Amino acid sequence: MTVSAAIEDVFGQKLGEDQVLTFETGPAERYLTGPNAFVTLDPSAAKPVFTVYSVNYDRLRVRAYAVTPQDWPAYQEFLSNSYYGNPNPPTPPGEEVLSAIVAVAADPDSLTETAIDLSDLLPNGFGHLILIVDAPPLPLLGQRDPAIVQAWVQAT
């Protein structure tokens, strides 16, 4: 990049001569985000989906737990003990109804939307789920990716 000698600072002083700067860039850091809260699915949507966004993930682990409104206090307790940095997070309340690895159709270094179809998990299109989306663990390395999306999802 060339910075022009004509550029002035706040005092009106000019740079004097063009300056050539070189930057080295590499791949974007991995990134995973989505709603980490209480989510009500769009009742007018063709399919009930939960959407997450990622950069440089080729697959994601998706877990879903069927819950009822009575499980809300237990979910709040789960959240207080499970977020970032806990190497052994607790199991959420409810019955596990999904544990799957989802392929992410992404170009490198691009923000990618992944819609997780919940049709088979919601009887008659209604219900409550706790969804946890993260990277599949790397058991041989003993490491866990800290990026995680956790949400209570309701379809009404």
Side-chain angles (χ1 to χ4, degrees), residues 61-123:
R61 178 174 64 163
V62 179
R63 291 170 287 157
Y65 299 82
V67 289
T68 66
Q70 290 74 22
D71 292 312
W72 181 255
Y75 175 64
Q76 293 300 302
E77 179 69 22
F78 161 76
L79 284 180
S80 69
N81 294 313
S82 69
Y83 261 92
Y84 315 101
N86 185 343
N88 299 304
T91 301
E95 175 190 353
E96 186 175 63
V97 291
L98 176 68
S99 180
I101 304 297
V102 175
V104 177
D107 292 327
D109 303 329
S110 297
L111 183 65
T112 302
E113 177 181 345
T114 301
I116 301 163
D117 185 354
L118 304 176
S119 299
D120 294 339
L121 308 178
L122 297 166

Side-chain angles (χ1 to χ4, degrees), residues 36-60:
N36 277 306
F38 183 88
V39 176
T40 301
L41 300 178
D42 182 356
S44 66
K47 286 195 287 189
V49 297
F50 182 77
T51 303
V52 295
Y53 300 88
S54 62
V55 175
N56 289 338
Y57 283 88
D58 59 355
R59 56 198 187 113
L60 296 169

